[in-house]
Amino acid sequence: MTEPPSPDVRPGAAPPRRARRLLLVHAHPDDESINNGVTMARYAAEGAHVTLVTCTLGERGEVIPPELAHLGGAALGEHRLGELTAAMRALGVDDFRLLGGPGRYADSGMMGLPDNDDPGCLWQADVDQAAGLLLDVVREVRPQVLVTYDPDGGYGHPDHIQAHRIAMRAAELAAAEGHPIAKVYWNRVPRSTAESAFARLREELPGLPFAEAAGVRDVPGVVDDERITTEIRGEGTAPAAKAAAMRAHATQIEVAGEFFALSNELAQPLFTTEYYELVRGERTGAGREDDLFAGIGETP
């Protein structure tokens, strides 16, 4: 079974059978906070059981702070696990795990680099085998909702693509066993929202600690508005929790107010409404859903 890295979650311990159970599958520490921080904070605060499975420790990530620039490889992975632990504390999530346990799959690096050929990296993993490890989590948690990337991984990173494949294959295997996941969502951003957010960013850029702005093309998962089926608005403490979780990933993210930058130092908006495309399951109503669990009964 996939073992959780946090000492607060006992390996093999069955989670409380809360009525709503959400599973998110991500490639590296920090992806969850950028893409789903508001969503995770909201559902955790509402008492849903939120489970995060991260596929690698991000050992090949580029480090932003100069004082941490010496970190690399296993040392960086260990440090990023600590960042992930702090981010989950900020979001109120206590069930987070590394696929197959810490170090089972290594970061594959960016597409086209020699790192992709490392036999221990996620890109080289057997999808059915990795999906079997995720299936163990599905059997334990019995999520009604799964969130992951689209087939391109949002922006073409090999680990994101592989995380998508593993998550979707695990959902297929779970359904074949008689434990179907009622709804599967992909992370998205509507094009009009991204364009308006970047227009505001360009106006505010002179007052930010970033020299340049990224562009809409740099945001993973941007699609035409009509493909968005669901939006989770940042309400209450969820936006602040998301920003705190992103700040916890200090090797990878610099946050400044409503904006942030990755190691490329290009500013982009910090979205406090998060968007999804329902790809499996029944959509409720004619407009956008405002709840990932819409249409799902509350019976455990």
Side-chain angles (χ1 to χ4, degrees), residues 16-285:
R17 281 297 180 179
R18 304 171 195 169
R20 295 185 298 171
R21 298 178 297 280
L22 169 63
L23 172 64
L24 304 99
V25 178
H26 276 289
H28 317 103
D30 81 356
D31 294 324
E32 80 298 322
S33 298
I34 295 170
N35 287 278
N36 311 116
V38 161
T39 301
M40 296 173 75
R42 167 187 161 172
Y43 285 112
E46 290 179 358
H49 188 92
V50 178
T51 301
L52 169 69
V53 175
T54 305
C55 294
T56 81
L57 287 170
E59 303 93 334
R60 292 188 167 104
E62 296 181 358
V63 177
I64 295 174
E67 65 272 19
L68 298 176
H70 63 283
L71 293 173
L76 177 57
E78 182 177 355
H79 188 90
R80 293 188 69 178
L81 177 54
E83 293 180 337
L84 179 63
T85 301
M88 293 303 94
R89 187 179 304 115
L91 297 178
V93 173
D94 57 13
D95 185 6
F96 55 102
R97 316 166 184 221
L98 273 296
L99 184 65
R104 177 63 178 267
Y105 296 109
D107 186 341
S108 306
M110 298 300 289
M111 186 68 82
L113 295 179
D115 298 330
N116 302 164
D117 299 325
D118 179 352
C121 76
L122 189 68
W123 186 238
Q124 295 296 328
D126 180 273
V127 170
D128 278 346
Q129 182 182 63
L133 295 171
L134 183 58
L135 179 61
D136 286 341
V137 180
V138 174
R139 289 175 180 139
E140 176 190 342
V141 177
R142 300 291 178 86
Q144 300 112 325
V145 175
L146 168 65
V147 170
T148 190
Y149 312 105
D150 64 16
D152 186 51
Y155 70 110
H157 192 293
D159 287 336
H160 287 240
I161 294 171
Q162 199 75 321
H164 160 86
R165 294 171 177 170
I166 291 165
M168 299 302 290
R169 180 58 177 152
E172 292 175 356
L173 295 172
E177 286 191 354
H179 306 306
I181 299 173
K183 303 179 84 171
V184 178
Y185 292 93
W186 292 343
N187 292 305
R188 293 299 193 193
V189 176
R191 192 173 306 280
S192 67
T193 297
E195 290 173 348
S196 62
F198 274 100
R200 184 164 54 86
L201 166 58
R202 286 190 289 272
E203 292 177 356
E204 299 194 23
L205 189 61
L208 296 174
F210 311 118
E212 298 181 46
V216 171
R217 66 186 180 280
D218 298 307
V219 177
V222 173
V223 293
D224 293 339
D225 290 31
E226 57 267 24
R227 292 187 62 175
I228 305 300
T229 63
T230 312
E231 61 180 52
I232 303 299
R233 297 177 181 272
E235 298 175 346
T237 60
K242 174 173 180 167
M246 290 175 63
R247 287 190 185 94
H249 291 290
T251 61
Q252 307 300 304
I253 306 172
E254 182 179 357
V255 178
E258 299 176 2
F259 306 98
F260 74 98
L262 302 173
S263 60
N264 59 13
E265 300 181 353
L266 300 177
Q268 54 182 297
L270 191 162
F271 293 106
T272 55
T273 296
E274 294 169 348
Y275 302 89
Y276 300 92
E277 179 181 1
L278 178 66
V279 295
R280 292 188 185 177
E282 294 297 323
R283 184 174 177 177
T284 60

